[in-house]
């Protein structure tokens, strides 16, 4: 019952507060896809990851601190899984994202993403006085009628 109530609040708040034209069906599918991403990032099983992820992953947290080259943020699903997933899954930001219920959906107009789930991980002032807070965006692309994990980034 608690999960149903949380899902209802999530759907209503997402739709009302952002005015996005994201259907109820898509909202439910994104929440299920997000749950699969969280489960999969813990297991590190490539066969399962392949089922939930698009062929290319757009990763803006993967090369932090290095100047980006052309298409540096894009990588194959296999490369992301073998080289980046473990570090992301063991990060404090990811642990915080797993704990949060404040999830906002944002409709995208990007070749790598149709809808992003934005999760607040730090409230303004929580990290340090005057700090603006932080979020993680988990991107999804609709492929053959299913939303597949297609990217991740931190904001800011």
């Amino acid at each position: 019952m608690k999960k149903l109530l949380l899902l209802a609040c999530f759907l209503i708040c997402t739709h009302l507060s952002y005015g996005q034209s994201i259907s109820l069906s898509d909202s439910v599918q994104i929440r299920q896809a997000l749950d699969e991403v969280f489960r999969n990032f813990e297991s590190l099983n490539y066969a399962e990851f392949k089922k939930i992820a698009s062929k290319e992953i757009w990763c803006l947290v993967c090369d932090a601190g290095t100047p980006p080259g052309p298409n540096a943020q894009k990588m194959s699903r296999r490369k992301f899984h073998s080289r980046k997933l473990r570090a992301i899954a063991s990060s404090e930001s990811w642990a915080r994202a797993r704990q949060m219920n404040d999830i906002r959906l944002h409709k995208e107009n990007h070749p790598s993403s149709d809808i992003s789930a934005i999760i607040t991980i730090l409230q303004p002032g929580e990290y340090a006085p005057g700090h603006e807070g932080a979020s993680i965006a988990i991107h999804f692309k609709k492929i053959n009628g299913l939303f597949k994990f297609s990217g991740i980034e931190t904001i800011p």
Side-chain angles (χ1 to χ4, degrees):
M1 181 67 175
K2 185 178 177 183
K3 278 191 172 187
L4 185 59
L5 186 57
L6 280 172
L7 181 60
C9 288
F10 165 74
L11 296 174
I12 290 169
C13 290
T14 298
H15 200 67
L16 292 178
S17 60
Y18 285 87
Q20 299 288 328
S21 58
I22 299 172
S23 72
L24 181 60
S25 172
D26 283 352
S27 296
V28 169
Q29 285 183 40
I30 288 292
R31 183 58 202 204
Q32 290 168 343
L34 186 58
D35 288 344
E36 287 297 317
V37 166
F38 283 135
R39 272 194 291 282
N40 193 278
F41 273 45
E42 288 178 5
S43 73
L44 302 175
N45 178 326
Y46 182 72
E48 292 300 313
F49 182 74
K50 189 175 176 181
K51 293 177 189 176
I52 69 159
S54 62
K55 289 181 182 180
E56 278 193 333
I57 306 296
W58 185 54
C59 184
L60 292 180
V61 298
C62 293
D63 294 318
T66 60
N71 291 320
Q73 293 88 13
K74 284 186 182 179
M75 63 189 71
S76 72
R77 169 176 54 210
R78 182 167 294 283
K79 181 178 177 181
F80 177 85
H81 186 270
S82 66
R83 297 186 186 173
K84 307 298 181 180
L85 187 94
R86 188 176 309 268
I88 291 169
S90 63
S91 72
E92 181 182 342
S93 296
W94 189 256
R96 283 178 160 265
R98 296 257 315 134
Q99 305 280 328
M100 299 300 177
N101 287 320
D102 177 25
I103 301 167
R104 295 166 282 137
L105 299 183
H106 182 75
K107 192 164 180 96
E108 299 285 348
N109 185 17
H110 191 275
S112 298
S113 177
D114 291 321
I115 297 177
S116 295
I118 301 171
I119 305 165
T120 301
I121 56 172
L122 287 171
Q123 297 297 325
E126 183 179 354
Y127 180 71
H131 188 271
E132 61 188 298
S135 299
I136 283 183
I138 301 173
H139 304 287
F140 294 93
K141 187 76 178 163
K142 198 166 197 173
I143 301 169
N144 297 326
L146 298 173
F147 284 102
K148 303 281 187 167
F149 168 73
S150 63
I152 187 168
E153 68 180 293
T154 55
I155 306 165

